[in-house]
Amino acid sequence: MKIVLFGAGNVATHLGAALKEAGHEIVQVWSRTRESADALANSLACDSHTFGESFCLSTTDEERVACIISVKDDAIAELAKEYIPQFPQAMWLHTAGSVAIEVLDKGMNPRYGVLYPMQTFSKSKPVDFQKIGIFTEANGCEEELTELATSLTAKVYPLDGEGRKRLHLAAVFACNFVNHCYALSETILADAGLPFEVMLPLIEETAEKAHHLSPRLAQTGPAARHDQQIMDRQHTLLADNPLMQDIYDKLSESIIHLGKLR
């Protein structure tokens, strides 16, 4: 399948590499800036374009084309409005967790959908797509979208927009918020003159438990033990940072609440 990428950020960078490795032909990369478009296009050996240029792609009737919009959520609608009418015969997809499929419905394009790879992406860290789940939603292109997704991973799950919103929310808690807690931990350690790496064995063991236990059952720490004296002391240690103090209190309260639901 021929692939056109609209976006050159973290998701597009890894998705483009994975699609090429799976045997698809990446023909164009589009981005807001020439620099980012060229950087990704060079790595994928294809043409580069910047948003605002007219769409032009030479294809035969037999060739299948997927145009994948992989940009910030609030930019998807604008790009869809501008470019889908210029090439409605393609299968148009976006990769967002919390954006409805209908944003791609422009009336003249019968095939559109969502290709949502649930993973955290950083350009400098490789991602093995065969290990991650891809969640799909299709309009008029179920077979074609499934074929594209399964060329990347066997873990393909059809999921409607409402389910995808909840999945994305769960991912924010499991990934983004957890990583922020790592950052807060790093600042506390720095005050004690310690490197963050001392936390790595603890982080790895906690993540490993999640493969075998419900996170509720694996919960440990002062809040899980209802050790109010320790919680009070740790609350006091954060007196110079009211925001972090409030986060500590709210998370402790949530741990206690979930513990009562076991």
Side-chain angles (χ1 to χ4, degrees):
M1 189 177 297
K2 286 190 171 182
I3 306 292
V4 178
L5 294 174
F6 285 84
N10 293 340
V11 176
T13 295
H14 287 286
L15 183 59
L19 287 166
K20 184 174 182 178
E21 185 177 349
H24 302 283
E25 181 186 0
I26 315 300
V27 292
Q28 293 180 358
V29 169
W30 293 69
S31 186
R32 183 176 57 84
T33 68
R34 172 60 59 186
E35 181 181 16
S36 60
D38 286 347
L40 182 53
N42 288 339
S43 72
L44 297 173
C46 67
D47 295 336
S48 65
H49 300 272
T50 56
F51 298 152
E53 295 179 26
S54 296
F55 191 103
C56 183
L57 180 64
S58 177
T59 63
T60 65
D61 291 340
E62 295 78 22
E63 289 180 312
R64 297 181 300 165
V65 178
C67 294
I68 304 175
I69 300 177
S70 187
V71 296
K72 293 180 180 179
D73 290 4
D74 58 4
I76 294 174
E78 181 180 351
L79 287 175
K81 181 179 179 181
E82 180 175 1
Y83 286 105
I84 289 177
Q86 296 184 42
F87 200 68
Q89 62 267 41
M91 175 173 66
W92 284 86
L93 308 172
H94 75 65
T95 61
S98 293
V99 177
I101 189 175
E102 287 78 16
V103 73
L104 300 177
D105 182 8
K106 299 306 169 191
M108 77 290 289
N109 58 312
R111 298 180 301 129
Y112 54 91
V114 179
L115 181 78
Y116 174 47
M118 198 188 68
Q119 183 55 282
T120 176
F121 295 98
S122 299
K123 286 185 180 179
S124 59
K125 189 168 188 310
V127 171
D128 184 354
F129 267 76
Q130 294 183 13
K131 293 182 178 180
I132 69 175
I134 292 181
F135 297 82
T136 63
E137 185 178 9
N139 181 88
C141 58
E142 289 82 359
E143 185 175 339
E144 193 173 5
L145 177 54
T146 299
E147 179 186 339
L148 180 65
T150 53
S151 72
L152 298 174
T153 177
K155 300 176 181 180
V156 176
Y157 309 96
L159 187 66
D160 65 17
E162 284 304 310
R164 198 171 63 255
K165 287 179 184 177
R166 292 188 177 275
L167 177 70
H168 190 207
L169 175 60
V172 168
F173 274 91
C175 175
N176 306 130
F177 287 172
V178 168
N179 188 72
H180 181 65
C181 286
Y182 293 164
L184 296 180
S185 173
E186 186 176 38
T187 64
I188 294 170
L189 290 167
D191 289 340
L194 294 169
F196 182 69
E197 66 184 37
V198 302
M199 287 290 123
L200 296 181
L202 179 63
I203 291 170
E204 290 164 2
E205 177 63 19
T206 303
E208 177 63 24
K209 281 184 182 180
H211 289 275
H212 309 287
L213 285 174
S214 161
R216 287 187 186 179
L217 298 178
Q219 188 69 58
T220 61
R225 298 192 304 269
H226 294 246
D227 193 333
Q228 192 62 50
Q229 288 187 341
I230 294 293
M231 287 190 287
D232 289 343
R233 285 194 216 112
Q234 292 183 339
H235 174 93
T236 301
L237 281 173
L238 296 169
D240 62 342
N241 191 325
L243 178 57
M244 198 182 300
Q245 197 176 53
D246 188 49
I247 292 171
Y248 178 91
D249 292 343
K250 293 296 185 185
L251 286 175
S252 296
E253 181 183 349
S254 183
I255 290 170
I256 293 169
H257 174 71
L258 278 182
K260 293 176 180 178
L261 300 179
R262 289 182 186 175

